[in-house]
Amino acid sequence: MFEQDLLAGKVVLITGGGTGLGRAMGERFLELGAKLAIAGRRAEVLAQTANELGALNEVFFQATDVRRPDQVESLLDAVAERFGRLNVLVNNAAGNFVSPTERLSHRAFDAIIGIVLHGTVYCTLEQGKRWIKSHQPGVVLNIATTYAQSGSGYVVPSAVAKAGVVSLTKSLAAEWGKYGIRLNAIAPGPFPTEGAWSRLMPTPELKRKLTGRIPLGRVGEHRELANLASYLISDYAAYITGDVITIDGGESVWNAGEFNILDELSQDVWDALERARQR
Ligand code: HXC
Ligand code: NAP
C-alpha cells in the first residue's frame, strides 16, 4: 500500500515505543524509511526492542518517565543531538487497569492521569515550543481510545485522561496550525497486547464477549494500526489536523446503536415477524 520511502528523512519519537502498539508502529515507520527514537521507563525493554528493530534502520532509545518534565526535556535534547531534529512525536505511553471506581484511591487516579494526560502534555508542550522557536513544522500523533469520547465505567481514570488528550489534540490543532504543527489522534478499539490484555481482560470469557460485539468479528492487528499511523504522520495527510480517527472494527458504532442488539434475532424470528406483518 505504501511507498517504501514514505517516511524517509523523518525523525520520529514514540513514547512507550518498547512494547505493544508503540513497538509495532516503530517497526512499520522504520520499514518506511524513518529514523526512530523510543522512550519508556524500562531501559532493558527499550534496549531489546532497539536491538531487534535496529537492523532495519537506526534506533535511538532513552529511559524516560513522561511524568517527569525534566526527563522529557532531557529526552528531547538527546533526540535532537542524535538526529539533529525531531519531525514527529507519537504520544503512545499509557497506563491503565480495570476496577470499580469506588475502590480506587486518589493515588490510583494520579498514576493514570500522570502517565496519560500529564505525560502527553509535557511531551507535546516541550516539543511544540522547540518547533515554534526554531520555525520548524511538526506532527503530533496521540494514541487515545474509543471510550475517550463515549466514557466507560471500570476504566474511569483512563477515560478521563484520554478525553483530556483528545481535547488537547483538537485545541492545539486550532492554535498551532499557524506554526505548521499538525495534531491528530487515533482511537483504537481492542488490539491484543501483553500490556493491555494482562491488565484489562481478567477472564477468557470477557475476551470472547468482546469479540462478539465487534461487527467485523475480530480484534485488530497491530500492523493495521501501524499503517494508519504511518499515513497520518506522512505528508499525504498534510491537510488533516485536529481529528480523531477510530480503528475498531465497528465496535463503537455497534455499542452506540440502540437496536444493534437485534443482531441476536435469528432468521426464523425475522421470518415470523415478516409473516405476521403480511397477515
Ligand atoms: C486498583 C491500582 C491498580 C489496580 C495500581 N493501583 N494498580 N488500583 N487496581 N490494578 C493503585 C496503587 O494501589 C496505588 O495507589 C496507585 O495506583 C499507584 O500504583 P503504582 O503501582 O505505584 O503505580 P505505577 O508504578 O506508577 O504503575 C502504573 C500502573 C502500572 C498504571 C499502575 O500498571 C503500569 O506501569 N502500567 C503501564 C502499562 C499499561 O498499563 N499498559 C496498558 C495500556 S492499555 P495506593 O493508594 O495504593 O498508593 C490502555 C487502553 C486499553 O491504556 C483499551 C483496551 C480496549
Ligand atoms: P503497553 O504495551 O503496555 O504500552 C504502554 C507503554 O507505555 C509501555 O511501553 C510502557 O513502558 C510505557 N509507559 C508506561 N508508563 C510510562 C511512563 N510513565 N513513562 C514512559 N513510558 C511509560 O500497551 P499497548 O496496548 O501497546 O498501549 C499502547 C497505547 O495504545 C496506549 O496509549 C493505550 O492506551 C492505547 N490503546 C491500546 C489499546 C489496546 O487494545 N491495546 C486500545 C486502545 C488504546 P514502561 O513500562 O517501560 O514505561
Side-chain angles (χ1 to χ4, degrees), residues 3 8 10 20-21 69 92 100 139 147 166 170 176 183 192 227 233 254 259 263:
E3 297 154 10
K10 293 198 191 299
L21 297 178
N92 165 81
V139 173
Y147 60 69
V166 167
K170 294 179 180 180
W176 285 358
L183 299 98
N227 277 333
I233 67 167
W254 193 92
F259 286 97
D263 265 354

Side-chain angles (χ1 to χ4, degrees), residues 5-269:
D5 61 351
L6 181 75
L7 302 177
K10 293 198 191 299
V11 178
V12 185
L13 167 62
I14 307 176
T15 65
T19 64
L21 297 178
R23 177 181 166 134
M25 285 188 278
E27 184 171 12
R28 190 69 179 121
F29 298 164
L30 284 167
E31 284 171 5
L32 294 169
K35 291 192 187 338
L36 182 66
I38 55 176
R41 289 166 302 178
R42 292 166 298 166
E44 65 287 2
V45 171
L46 296 172
Q48 189 178 340
T49 298
N51 199 25
E52 286 167 12
L53 301 186
L56 291 163
N57 209 335
E58 207 170 346
V59 179
F60 172 80
F61 70 90
Q62 181 160 308
T64 307
D65 186 334
V66 294
R67 293 173 290 192
R68 297 274 307 272
D70 55 329
Q71 293 190 16
V72 168
E73 257 185 64
S74 149
L75 169 68
L76 297 178
D77 286 345
V79 172
E81 189 170 329
R82 185 77 190 79
F83 295 115
R85 67 188 182 287
L86 178 63
N87 304 105
V88 181
L89 166 66
V90 181
N91 288 305
N92 165 81
N96 204 353
F97 43 65
V98 287
S99 172
T101 307
E102 67 275 16
R103 292 184 182 222
L104 295 178
S105 69
H106 60 86
R107 282 177 296 273
F109 266 86
D110 290 346
I112 303 304
I113 292 172
I115 303 169
V116 174
L117 182 55
H118 293 174
T120 300
V121 168
Y122 297 157
C123 293
T124 306
L125 184 63
E126 184 58 34
Q127 186 54 42
K129 286 178 179 176
R130 291 171 188 226
W131 282 326
I132 292 166
K133 194 171 172 203
S134 61
H135 303 284
Q136 297 299 313
V139 173
V140 178
L141 180 63
N142 293 326
I143 308 303
T145 60
T146 50
Y147 60 69
Q149 315 221 44
S150 62
S152 176
Y154 303 98
V155 284
V156 172
S158 171
V160 299
K162 293 285 193 183
V165 168
V166 167
S167 182
L168 178 79
T169 308
K170 294 179 180 180
S171 304
L172 285 181
E175 190 180 330
W176 285 358
K178 61 180 173 289
Y179 300 121
I181 299 173
R182 290 197 297 120
L183 299 98
N184 289 295
I186 292 179
F191 284 77
T193 63
E194 168 63 27
W197 256 225
S198 64
R199 291 175 174 90
L200 306 177
M201 295 290 158
T203 66
E205 163 68 355
L206 266 179
K207 282 183 205 162
R208 269 195 304 279
K209 266 199 167 166
L210 181 82
T211 316
R213 298 175 343 150
I214 302 171
L216 293 182
R218 64 174 177 85
V219 291
E221 290 171 17
H222 291 193
R223 208 168 166 84
E224 293 173 321
L225 186 137
N227 277 333
L228 173 59
S230 300
Y231 166 66
L232 287 174
I233 67 167
S234 80
D235 295 339
Y236 283 107
Y239 202 52
I240 301 178
T241 193
D243 212 349
V244 182
I245 290 92
T246 298
I247 177 166
D248 72 347
E251 184 192 35
S252 39
V253 287
W254 193 92
N255 283 325
E258 189 175 0
F259 286 97
N260 292 329
I261 47 166
L262 297 187
D263 265 354
E264 284 174 16
L265 295 192
S266 67
Q267 289 305 319
D268 288 348
V269 174

